[in-house]
Amino acid sequence: MSSGKGGELIPSSSELDLDRPNIEDYLPSGSSIHEPLGKLRLCDLLDISPTLTEAAGAIVDDSFTRCFKSNPPEPWNWNVYLFPLWCCGVVIRYLILFPVRVIVLTVGWIIFLSCFIPVHLLLKGHDKLQKNMERALVELICSFFVASWTGVINYHGPRPSMRPKQVFVANHTSMIDFIILEQMSSFAVIMQKHPGWVGLLQSTILESVGCIWFNRTEAKDRETVTKKLREHSQGVDNNPLLIFPEGTCVNNQYSVMFKKGAFELGCTICPIAIKYNKIFVDAFWNSRKQSFTMHLLQLMTSWAVVCDVWYLEPQNLRPDETPIEFAERVRDIISVRAGLKKVPWDGYLKYSRPSPKHREQKQQSFAESVLRRLEEN
Amino acid sequence: MGNTSSMLTQYDIEEVQQHCNNAFSQQEIVSLYERFCQLDRNGGGFVSGEEFLSVPEFAVNPLSQRLLRMLDGLNFKEFVAFLSAFSPRATVQQKIEFIFKVYDSDGNGKVTFNDMLDVLHDLTGQFISEQQREQVLTKVLEEAGYNKESLLVMSDFVKILGSSGLKMEVEVPVD
């Protein structure tokens, strides 16, 4: 879940180091700067062309930026016959569909609030009943949201039974991912704390289903959150955790690296793959380009939000696997199912610079080859 | 992002093409313009150092700071001219000229021992000591017929690098 501000870069904190497995396996093969061949000569030292080529390649095109590029569908309204049809479409969408949807949503909110507030205030003593009713009501309001975009959601796969020590992970395209999943069954999501009306909803209603907040910009926050995650997953009566391990919204064509936090809780991981059909609307929330409110309005003035949700087979940590390898394995499963291309970057690089570790590795391998070749005579 | 290619007229494209000595085809220039606009997030007409460094693949490159000095504040025409050394149509001479410019940070047409030492420092970081670097550089310079005080010019670079089969090409993705 990404926050609204874009473009500010803060220095990378050391915690980012922990999340990156062998990135060198993914980087282009020019990673090794020189091939060690025979005696070192002046031309070997002066020839910086491989490094320059890598830099120029990154300037011209890079896999990280591609993950966050909104790719709107090709405009089809460009000729004399189709254009009037498209105009009719605009009229229908903005003047008919949109008001109807706003009404539906308003009705939904009225019903929800008139049930939720009494339940929340009056049923204070009866915990179990209160929890169940609040869960049902949150599912209800999510269904209303989905209806307000004319959501057509195909759920595939056997929905895993709700058991303790189970954590759900999914790829992340927009905050609506959560709403789509929540309407089927109650989850406790871990989300970035947002400002504005979203933040208000977070602290009141979503609190009741057990959601956990974090603040991406606070370095210490990570330990607190890991602790909360662990406590929640061990608890018996809590809603199952839903985590988006990418940590940020990606454009539904790529997947960035999964953070290992969810994978070291000692729980079974149930992967969920979500794929939106772009023909109707591009559901990618480009938080650098628009606020969540604008994003919702865009969805409400489109024809429909069509997506596929696959519940995939639950996975467990294998005995010889590290949590990072486990995270990558699950990312692979989700990416294959949703047709996403994997890139070796940490989603948080949207907000900060890469750690110096990678540059140092390149420097180290070059330095070693120079010294080695110097000794060959 | 908007309609980027409609903001570039055929006339603009030809002007850019001339400026880079036909290193890129017209389609490639259109793609480069889209990329330039994508990088130039604040729409200032040039890509700042910060905006380049937001590309992680570029930020981890050991020569990124050196290249930023050459890239900072370039408008689109100059941006394409900068990249022209990496076109498959560029000559070996043009590639060597580019490399020379990277070394010659003060732009006076002469590369000193210290210039070469600086680049070597960028490439090796803390993994070779300053002393070792000087030793290595002095040794290979002397073997090639130069010494610590030599000032290398463009023709020296051509002599040294001309025969080593420079591979310095980048492909511009064209839709």
Side-chain angles (χ1 to χ4, degrees):
Chain A
M1 314 269 186
S2 18
S3 62
K5 317 287 176 291
E8 293 150 54
L9 293 171
I10 46 177
S12 70
S13 49
S14 58
E15 63 185 34
L16 292 177
D17 286 3
L18 305 172
D19 282 336
R20 246 172 306 192
N22 308 316
I23 200 174
E24 288 67 40
D25 294 341
Y26 295 93
L27 281 175
S29 57
S31 302
S32 62
I33 297 181
H34 270 289
E35 292 155 24
L37 284 175
K39 199 165 154 236
L40 194 68
R41 294 162 299 162
L42 183 58
C43 59
D44 300 316
L45 278 192
L46 286 187
D47 184 5
I48 49 175
S49 59
T51 314
L52 290 179
T53 312
E54 266 176 37
I59 294 176
V60 163
D61 187 20
D62 77 293
S63 54
F64 185 72
T65 314
R66 266 186 263 142
C67 292
F68 304 101
K69 193 168 150 203
S70 317
N71 298 315
E74 287 289 313
W76 53 273
N77 58 1
W78 44 264
N79 78 14
V80 164
Y81 310 107
L82 294 178
F83 189 66
L85 203 62
W86 181 75
C87 285
C88 290
V90 169
V91 165
I92 297 178
R93 278 189 287 135
Y94 279 81
L95 298 180
I96 302 178
L97 282 184
F98 180 62
V100 168
R101 287 169 177 174
V102 170
I103 294 174
V104 164
L105 198 56
T106 316
V107 166
W109 273 105
I110 294 175
I111 298 179
F112 173 75
L113 286 171
S114 54
C115 296
F116 189 83
I117 294 177
V119 164
H120 195 67
L121 296 174
L122 300 176
L123 283 183
K124 273 261 183 298
H126 316 262
D127 269 351
K128 192 139 173 99
L129 182 61
Q130 179 186 27
K131 261 202 176 162
N132 286 336
M133 290 208 66
E134 286 179 348
R135 273 180 205 172
L137 284 173
V138 173
E139 281 181 39
L140 180 74
I141 189 63
C142 287
S143 306
F144 268 102
F145 260 113
V146 172
S148 77
W149 324 308
T150 316
V152 176
I153 303 169
N154 300 315
Y155 296 92
H156 307 269
R159 205 170 76 199
S161 352
M162 296 299 148
R163 283 186 273 244
K165 302 204 80 196
Q166 216 174 229
V167 169
F168 288 81
V169 305
N171 60 308
H172 197 30
T173 304
S174 161
M175 279 227 284
I176 69 174
D177 292 339
F178 157 64
I179 299 179
I180 285 176
L181 292 176
E182 188 79 15
Q183 76 155 353
M184 279 302 276
S185 45
S186 250
F187 290 107
V189 173
I190 149 167
M191 278 170 80
Q192 162 83 29
K193 196 75 163 55
H194 280 80
W197 64 272
V198 180
L200 182 64
L201 287 188
Q202 284 178 326
S203 20
T204 50
I205 297 167
L206 293 180
E207 195 81 18
S208 68
V209 287
C211 292
I212 298 174
W213 318 120
F214 67 86
N215 202 333
R216 193 182 280 131
T217 50
E218 278 169 39
K220 274 264 154 226
D221 200 57
R222 199 183 147 109
E223 288 164 33
T224 340
V225 168
T226 319
K227 207 160 65 95
K228 284 195 215 165
L229 283 183
R230 206 174 282 275
E231 276 167 18
H232 187 107
S233 60
Q234 312 291 355
V236 165
D237 197 33
N238 291 327
N239 281 332
L241 271 174
L242 172 61
I243 300 181
F244 296 102
E246 287 173 309
T248 188
C249 292
V250 186
N251 72 359
N252 210 228
Q253 287 179 309
Y254 295 89
S255 69
V256 296
M257 303 221 316
F258 277 12
K259 298 196 174 313
K260 67 179 177 137
F263 300 88
E264 34 181 31
L265 295 171
C267 301
T268 310
I269 301 285
C270 304
I272 302 178
I274 308 177
K275 182 77 174 180
Y276 292 89
N277 188 330
K278 269 221 292 272
I279 295 182
F280 295 95
V281 75
D282 184 3
F284 168 48
W285 178 36
N286 193 338
S287 58
R288 282 192 262 200
K289 289 243 168 88
Q290 50 181 195
S291 70
F292 188 57
T293 316
M294 284 310 298
H295 177 62
L296 274 188
L297 286 177
Q298 187 197 345
L299 292 179
M300 285 172 76
T301 54
S302 315
W303 288 109
V305 171
V306 178
C307 75
D308 286 288
V309 173
W310 290 276
Y311 293 100
L312 301 168
E313 200 177 313
Q315 303 288 327
N316 282 301
L317 183 68
R318 292 194 187 139
D320 54 339
E321 236 180 4
T322 67
I324 294 182
E325 286 168 356
F326 184 29
E328 280 302 292
R329 183 162 64 88
V330 172
R331 173 160 90 118
D332 203 38
I333 294 173
I334 293 180
S335 303
V336 165
R337 181 67 269 189
L340 306 171
K341 288 187 221 125
K342 292 165 45 174
V343 298
W345 302 105
D346 177 340
Y348 277 11
L349 288 172
K350 238 168 142 181
Y351 310 99
S352 62
R353 297 279 165 74
S355 98
K357 194 176 73 156
H358 297 291
R359 182 187 310 184
E360 283 172 9
Q361 268 171 338
K362 288 176 190 259
Q363 289 172 329
Q364 184 174 23
S365 80
F366 181 58
E368 283 170 4
S369 94
V370 163
L371 290 175
R372 203 179 330 138
R373 290 177 68 181
L374 200 59
E375 277 151 39
E376 278 175 36
N377 258 334
Chain B
M1 206 161 61
N3 321 334
T4 46
S5 49
S6 68
M7 279 165 23
L8 264 194
T9 65
Q10 180 99 31
Y11 184 66
D12 293 327
I13 299 177
E14 282 174 5
E15 199 186 316
V16 171
Q17 211 178 17
Q18 259 191 329
H19 188 77
C20 70
N21 291 320
N22 288 330
F24 292 109
S25 72
Q26 298 202 346
Q27 274 185 318
E28 287 171 335
I29 292 180
V30 171
S31 291
L32 283 174
Y33 188 68
E34 271 178 34
R35 176 65 173 179
F36 186 80
C37 291
Q38 189 184 60
L39 291 173
D40 179 19
R41 254 180 274 144
N42 64 0
F46 65 94
V47 183
S48 68
E50 282 290 308
E51 287 165 338
F52 275 116
L53 288 175
S54 73
V55 176
E57 236 170 277
F58 181 79
V60 303
N61 191 291
L63 293 176
S64 52
Q65 289 302 327
R66 208 158 254 272
L67 288 171
L68 274 184
R69 255 175 276 153
M70 296 164 73
L71 278 167
D72 202 15
L74 295 184
N75 65 22
F76 178 60
K77 211 161 71 165
E78 294 158 351
F79 175 72
V80 173
F82 176 89
L83 289 175
S84 58
F86 297 91
S87 149
R89 299 180 195 86
T91 63
V92 173
Q93 174 85 4
Q94 286 170 318
K95 294 184 201 281
I96 299 180
E97 258 173 39
F98 186 88
I99 296 181
F100 187 83
K101 265 190 251 163
V102 173
Y103 274 95
D104 182 20
S105 43
D106 54 8
N108 63 356
K110 295 196 255 284
V111 168
T112 65
F113 183 77
N114 281 327
D115 288 332
M116 289 187 274
L117 208 58
D118 282 341
V119 173
L120 194 56
H121 181 80
D122 285 341
L123 288 177
T124 55
Q126 76 228 56
F127 299 97
I128 299 190
S129 71
E130 186 70 23
Q131 207 185 21
Q132 269 180 313
R133 263 195 290 270
E134 280 192 38
Q135 269 179 346
V136 167
L137 193 55
T138 316
K139 177 163 186 262
V140 292
L141 269 177
E142 283 171 1
E143 281 174 9
Y146 301 95
N147 58 50
K148 264 183 90 162
E149 278 73 43
S150 307
L151 296 172
L152 283 93
V153 291
M154 185 58 202
S155 52
D156 293 309
F157 263 64
V158 173
K159 201 165 47 163
I160 299 166
L161 294 173
S163 50
S164 62
L166 273 185
K167 273 188 295 258
M168 208 165 98
E169 265 169 40
V170 144
E171 199 190 308
V172 178
V174 173
D175 298 319

